[in-house]
Amino acid sequence: MVELVYLTLLLIFTGYFYFNDRKKLTDVGIYSKKITVSLTPYVLAIMLTASIVNAYISKDSIALVLGENNGILSPIVAALFGSFFEGPTVIAFVLGASLLLNGASTAAVGAFISSFSMVGLVAISLEKKELGSIFTITRFIMTLTMAVVIGCIMGVVI
Amino acid sequence: MKQNLFLMISIIATIGIVIFDPTRGFKIIEYFLSSIIETGPILVLMFVFLGFFQVWMQSNKAQEVIENNKGIKGILYAYLLGSMICGPIYPGFSLSKMLLEKGTSISIIIILLSVWATTKIALLPLEIKLLGLNFTIVRWSVTLVAIYLLSIICEAIIKRLTTYRIKKNIKRRMIS
């Protein structure tokens, strides 16, 4: 179903560019190719790793750490886990979906998606160079806190 | 390069598991194939779609618009443009630096960076497919409000810390 949304939008965009600005279509092709080449291995690797984890770690043990019963601890653990890595938002969704399927609570997945996509230990040095350490560290700590808050509210609402 | 290495390691690990622990190994392959069948088509469509978005919405366009709009208008544009820009956040840092030097407020920068990372309009159909409509609606509304609060808190803290540091430096210079 959702695929149809993308498909219709793609057809509309292609038609628009084809009749108005045919040169731009080659640019689109180049960008799409670049995105596909850079993201596909990442997505496949994440899916494969998730499958391995799936086969070895039971639903119960994921639920034990990130499940509903763990209360406020589950979004905190998930946010900290997410803050180590910094990845494309696509990956955050793929990982979040597989966590959700395997017994993690909504609060944990909400916190994980926020912290994974917004901050990352890897990106800190780059951000520091551009925006200074006060800015970077404040943003890191406050975003992490906010990720836990977002997760908690989502857990309560859903 | 890094991604390829990651993929290679996971493939080698899977082959190892298939050889030494066949029951689990085939389970892994089964999981993997079913997730590819389920999300593969939408991912391919999305990659092409992102190409269109990138041509249409370049980050220097965002810079121009945000530079010229201050106050509430600037905040709204930061939300709007941040969620329309595609691609990783790294170029966002140098963009933010340029904007800060041109006098854009810290809160707008925080909003731009946060929205750039988490709420993406181009990924909306994918998010609905993977995580469900209900989850997506709640996540978007909670996140958008939380980012506004985040921007206010961060601006207050950063301003205070910066003035504190300047005062300390002045004192140090006066003593020496």
Side-chain angles (χ1 to χ4, degrees):
Chain A
M1 262 315 286
V2 183
E3 284 90 339
L4 282 179
V5 176
Y6 275 134
L7 208 58
T8 5
L9 286 173
L10 277 180
L11 286 177
I12 292 170
F13 273 133
T14 317
Y16 177 81
F17 277 118
Y18 188 78
F19 290 114
N20 287 311
D21 199 348
R22 221 170 284 187
K23 262 187 203 152
K24 278 239 169 97
L25 271 183
T26 19
D27 287 350
V28 172
I30 293 166
Y31 277 125
S32 299
K33 201 177 151 197
K34 222 165 94 186
I35 293 167
T36 313
V37 167
S38 69
L39 277 181
T40 306
Y42 205 164
V43 171
L44 288 178
I46 286 284
M47 280 180 175
L48 199 53
T49 315
S51 307
I52 294 172
V53 170
N54 232 337
Y56 277 93
I57 298 173
S58 66
K59 272 188 184 182
D60 297 332
S61 41
I62 290 179
L64 198 71
V65 184
L66 298 173
E68 303 272 352
N69 299 330
N70 222 352
I72 187 145
L73 217 59
S74 68
I76 292 176
V77 172
L80 285 176
F81 176 63
S83 72
F84 278 118
F85 313 100
E86 160 119 27
T89 323
V90 185
I91 306 294
F93 292 154
V94 173
L95 268 174
S98 74
L99 280 175
L100 208 57
L101 275 179
N102 285 298
S105 65
T106 321
V109 175
F112 172 76
I113 290 177
S114 301
S115 80
F116 184 81
S117 53
M118 280 206 256
V119 288
L121 282 178
V122 187
I124 270 193
S125 59
L126 196 74
E127 192 178 342
K128 230 178 181 168
K129 217 164 62 189
E130 299 280 5
L131 296 165
S133 51
I134 291 180
F135 186 97
T136 309
I137 293 164
T138 312
R139 195 178 84 90
F140 187 85
I141 295 169
M142 291 318 296
T143 305
L144 211 56
T145 322
M146 215 37 115
V148 176
V149 173
I150 289 171
C152 289
I153 296 174
M154 284 181 66
V156 172
V157 173
I158 297 178
Chain B
M1 198 54 224
K2 214 167 70 187
Q3 286 97 321
N4 287 337
L5 192 71
F6 184 22
L7 181 61
M8 216 85 98
I9 291 170
S10 50
I11 288 174
I12 290 168
T14 313
I15 293 172
I17 293 167
V18 169
I19 292 168
F20 293 107
D21 189 357
T23 41
R24 279 216 171 100
F26 286 113
K27 220 167 150 190
I28 290 169
I29 292 171
E30 199 189 309
Y31 282 137
F32 181 61
L33 287 180
S34 73
S35 49
I36 282 189
I37 289 166
E38 202 180 312
T39 51
I42 196 167
L43 283 173
V44 172
L45 287 174
M46 196 202 65
F47 290 153
V48 181
F49 187 64
L50 286 181
F52 274 106
F53 240 74
Q54 201 141 23
V55 167
W56 181 54
M57 185 73 243
Q58 246 125 29
S59 51
N60 49 358
K61 216 189 254 174
Q63 183 191 356
E64 223 170 84
V65 174
I66 291 173
E67 230 178 74
N68 297 322
N69 289 285
K70 303 268 146 70
I72 296 173
K73 237 176 158 186
I75 291 173
L76 289 179
Y77 273 120
Y79 267 117
L80 194 67
L81 296 170
S83 50
M84 288 208 279
I85 299 170
C86 292
I89 198 170
Y90 304 115
F93 297 142
S94 37
L95 174 67
S96 305
K97 191 186 174 192
M98 274 189 271
L99 284 171
L100 275 176
E101 281 164 0
K102 292 250 166 77
T104 309
S105 71
I106 295 169
S107 60
I108 289 180
I109 301 294
I110 299 272
I111 289 175
L112 182 70
L113 282 177
S114 311
V115 171
W116 186 324
T118 46
T119 54
K120 289 193 166 164
I121 291 173
L123 296 185
L124 209 49
L126 179 80
E127 192 179 349
I128 293 170
K129 161 113 189 172
L130 287 176
L131 297 158
L133 185 63
N134 206 357
F135 187 99
T136 309
I137 292 172
V138 175
R139 195 184 81 85
W140 270 67
S141 23
V142 173
T143 308
L144 290 180
V145 176
I147 284 174
Y148 185 66
L149 293 177
L150 178 74
S151 74
I152 293 171
I153 297 169
C154 279
E155 186 173 58
I157 294 175
I158 291 168
K159 270 189 178 159
R160 188 159 293 180
L161 284 178
T162 326
T163 43
Y164 174 74
R165 186 185 259 186
I166 291 169
K167 270 183 198 164
K168 216 167 110 189
N169 281 350
I170 291 171
K171 226 182 231 169
R172 201 180 288 153
R173 252 178 242 154
M174 277 160 76
I175 292 165
S176 64

